[in-house]
């Protein structure tokens, strides 16, 4: 959370508490399913775009490759990777998503990823 006093801001998640404006960071979890045999291409995409997060107030909190040994229960196939990313607000996420530098590499992602499940949340 970011605490500010005396500033007018327009953000997605905010509320007043004891006279302070409190901005709640936005979290995105991605379950990424990579096409079999396309792992190297996907990793190449990630090497190019993950450093751009910082340009948009984003942070990669976790990048996990789950396997059967680390899974307690599952009713579906495991994703290749799980990412937890945070941004100061939804607008920063949209700017990252539409960054021309990132868009230059989307063909690599589209060719290597079968599907992504994106979950938006906030810290409670």
């Amino acid at each position: 959370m970011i605490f500010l006093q005396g500033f007018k801001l327009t953000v997605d998640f905010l509320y007043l508490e004891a006279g302070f404006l409190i901005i709640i960071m936005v979290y995105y979890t991605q379950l990424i399913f990579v096409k079999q045999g396309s792992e190297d291409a996907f990793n190449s995409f990630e090497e190019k775009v993950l450093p751009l997060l910082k340009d948009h107030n984003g942070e990669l909190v976790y990048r996990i490759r789950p396997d059967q040994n680390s899974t307690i229960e599952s009713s579906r196939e495991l994703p290749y990777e799980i990412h937890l990313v945070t941004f100061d607000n939804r607008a920063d996420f949209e700017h990252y998503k539409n960054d021309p530098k990132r868009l230059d590499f989307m063909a690599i992602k589209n060719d290597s990823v079968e599907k992504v499940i994106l979950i938006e949340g906030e810290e409670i």
Side-chain angles (χ1 to χ4, degrees):
M1 283 190 225
I2 302 169
F3 297 90
L4 300 171
Q5 188 171 14
F7 293 94
K8 181 178 179 183
L9 296 174
T10 302
V11 295
D12 296 311
F13 297 101
L14 60 88
Y15 62 94
L16 289 174
E17 182 177 291
F20 289 91
L21 179 67
I22 300 174
I23 301 170
I24 301 173
M25 298 176 79
V26 182
Y27 291 83
Y28 293 93
T29 302
Q30 291 185 73
L31 307 178
I32 305 165
F33 298 85
V34 173
K35 295 175 185 173
Q36 190 168 3
S38 297
E39 294 83 1
D40 289 343
F42 172 74
N43 291 328
S44 172
F45 169 76
E46 294 292 272
E47 288 172 10
K48 292 169 176 57
V49 301
L50 288 178
L52 299 174
L53 286 167
K54 294 176 186 164
D55 296 343
H56 303 282
N57 303 311
E59 177 186 5
L60 178 64
V61 179
Y62 299 115
R63 182 178 177 192
I64 301 168
R65 287 202 184 127
D67 61 21
Q68 292 299 331
N69 294 328
S70 65
T71 303
I72 297 169
E73 187 174 335
S74 176
S75 65
R76 298 183 183 187
E77 68 176 310
L78 292 177
Y80 177 72
E81 283 191 359
I82 300 171
H83 295 183
L84 177 63
V85 179
T86 186
F87 289 89
D88 286 349
N89 55 60
R90 187 177 291 129
D92 286 339
F93 169 69
E94 291 296 328
H95 290 140
Y96 168 73
K97 189 170 82 170
N98 296 308
D99 184 320
K101 293 179 227 165
R102 181 178 176 276
L103 295 176
D104 284 345
F105 303 110
M106 288 306 292
I108 300 170
K109 179 184 179 189
N110 294 338
D111 290 343
S112 62
V113 173
E114 184 176 321
K115 68 178 175 179
V116 174
I117 298 173
L118 179 66
I119 304 161
E120 182 182 282
E122 65 183 65
E123 187 172 336
I124 54 173

